[in-house]
Amino acid sequence: MEAGNQTKFSEFLLLGFSEYPELQSLLFGMFLSMYLVTVLGNLLIILAVTSDSHLHNPMYFFLSNLSFVDICFVTTTVPKMLANIHTQSKGISYIGCLIQMYFFILFVAMDNFLLTVMAYDRFVAICYPLHYNVIMNPQLCGLLVMMSWVIAFSVSLLHTLLIMRLTFCVDTEISNFFCDLAQILKVACSDTLINNIILFVLSGLLGVFPLTGILYSYSQIVSSLMRKSSAQSKYKAFSTCGSHLSVKRARRAIKELLLEFVQSISKYAKVCTVLDIVLVTNIPFQD
C-alpha cells in the first residue's frame, strides 16, 4: 500500500462480509429486519412514555432516553452496512468514517451511563421510598442525563481528535462492517502509542465506574429486600426493577437464540461475531 496523509479524498475499505457473496441477500434481509424492529420498538416506547401521564416519572424518563440512544446507536452503523451490502461496495470516506466512529463511541458511552443512572433510580426507589420524590426530582434527573451527555461527548471528541493526528495508507482495509476505533488504530501508519494509552485508560474508567455503580445499587437493593418481612412487599419492590433488568436479560436471551440459529445453518464465524455486536446493544425489549 502507498503511504500518505489523510485527506478528504482518502477512504477506508470496510471488508464486512465481502468474503461471503453467497450470504449477501440473507444478511441484508436479516439486518434490515433487525434494524426496523429496533427503531420501531424503541419509537413505541418513547411514544408510550410521552403520551401517558402515568408514565411521567424518573424511571420511564430514563427508559425513554435509553430508547432514543438505542435508535441513534443502531442508525450509526446499520444503514451504512446495508448500503454496502446492497451496492456491493466496501468504501467509506475518511470524514464519514470519523463521523461514524464519533457517534458510535458517543452512544455506547451513553448506553452505559443511562443503565447506571437507571440502577441508581431503582436503588433510591427501593431503599429510600419515602424520600424518592424529593431525591429524584426533575432537576436531578435532567442533570444526570445532561452530565452523561457531556461526558460521552467529551470522550468521543477526544478519541476523534486523537485519530485525526494519525496518518493512514491508501485503500486501508478495516476488518469490520463499521469504523471501530480499535480496528482503525490497528491499520494506522503512524505511531498510536498515545491513542492506545488513552483508549486503555478511558475504557477502564468508563467500564469500571458504571459497572461498580450498577453492582453497588443492586447489592443494596437485594440487601433491602432481604430485610422485608412480607413476601408480597418483596415481590412488589423487586418488580419495579423490571424495566432495568429486562434491558440486558431480553437482549442476551434473544442474542443467544439467534446466534444458536445462525451457527446451526452457517459455519462462518464472522456472521456470529457481528450478530453478537448488534444484538447485545440494540434489541428494544424494555418493559
Side-chain angles (χ1 to χ4, degrees):
M1 290 185 181
E2 177 188 355
N5 291 333
Q6 49 211 20
T7 70
K8 64 179 180 179
F9 299 106
S10 61
E11 69 173 8
F12 294 103
L13 299 179
L14 301 175
L15 298 185
F17 308 105
S18 58
E19 299 178 17
Y20 313 113
E22 67 276 12
L23 292 177
Q24 300 300 301
S25 299
L26 172 64
L27 292 171
F28 182 85
M30 180 182 297
F31 282 109
L32 178 60
S33 301
M34 290 164 51
Y35 176 71
L36 294 177
V37 168
T38 299
V39 172
L40 293 177
N42 281 295
L43 283 176
L44 287 176
I45 292 173
I46 296 173
L47 180 62
V49 172
T50 55
S51 61
D52 190 344
S53 59
H54 295 92
L55 302 181
H56 292 175
N57 57 55
M59 179 176 69
Y60 289 103
F61 169 71
F62 296 132
L63 188 59
S64 61
N65 275 273
L66 183 63
S67 294
F68 172 74
V69 170
D70 279 346
I71 292 174
C72 295
F73 179 87
V74 72
T75 303
T76 299
T77 56
V78 177
K80 176 60 178 176
M81 178 192 65
L82 292 175
N84 284 357
I85 293 176
H86 181 68
T87 61
Q88 301 295 312
S89 171
K90 297 184 290 184
I92 182 172
S93 68
Y94 170 71
I95 297 299
C97 189
L98 286 183
I99 293 174
Q100 188 181 67
M101 183 196 70
Y102 174 85
F103 284 108
F104 179 83
I105 297 172
L106 170 65
F107 295 126
V108 167
M110 273 303 299
D111 195 85
N112 291 335
F113 291 147
L114 287 174
L115 289 175
T116 306
V117 171
M118 291 173 68
Y120 174 72
D121 172 71
R122 294 300 85 203
F123 160 70
V124 176
I126 293 176
C127 298
Y128 302 97
L130 298 180
H131 303 284
Y132 177 73
N133 291 329
V134 176
I135 297 175
M136 299 302 296
N137 56 74
Q139 291 76 20
L140 178 62
C141 293
L143 180 62
L144 290 173
V145 173
M146 185 180 69
M147 288 178 57
S148 298
W149 278 110
V150 170
I151 296 174
F153 272 122
S154 301
V155 170
S156 185
L157 180 62
L158 176 59
H159 281 306
T160 304
L161 293 176
L162 289 174
I163 287 293
M164 292 177 68
R165 56 181 286 273
L166 302 178
T167 57
F168 298 90
C169 300
V170 176
D171 294 333
T172 299
E173 296 179 346
I174 297 178
S175 300
N176 213 327
F177 65 90
F178 68 98
C179 292
D180 177 47
L181 175 59
Q183 292 290 334
I184 294 176
L185 292 178
K186 287 182 180 180
V187 299
C189 295
S190 54
D191 183 44
T192 60
L193 177 61
I194 296 178
N195 298 72
N196 286 319
I197 292 175
I198 297 298
L199 176 61
F200 177 79
V201 173
L202 291 181
S203 297
L205 292 176
L206 297 181
V208 170
F209 283 112
L211 179 61
T212 301
I214 292 173
L215 292 177
Y216 175 78
S217 296
Y218 276 96
S219 66
Q220 294 301 305
I221 289 173
V222 172
S223 177
S224 177
L225 291 178
M226 293 299 100
R227 292 195 295 267
K228 294 181 181 293
S229 56
S230 170
Q232 183 177 1
S233 62
K234 288 181 180 180
Y235 174 78
K236 183 178 180 180
F238 186 76
S239 64
T240 63
C241 302
S243 62
H244 183 239
L245 293 175
S246 63
V247 173
K248 286 187 175 292
R249 185 176 65 247
R251 287 170 174 173
R252 180 172 294 276
I254 295 175
K255 178 193 71 174
E256 290 174 352
L257 287 174
L258 285 179
L259 285 178
E260 182 178 351
F261 169 74
V262 173
Q263 287 172 338
S264 67
I265 64 173
S266 174
K267 63 181 179 180
Y268 302 112
K270 284 190 176 182
V271 178
C272 300
T273 301
V274 175
L275 276 176
D276 185 78
I277 293 172
V278 175
L279 291 172
V280 77
T281 50
N282 290 311
I283 294 297
F285 290 91
Q286 295 114 327
D287 292 339

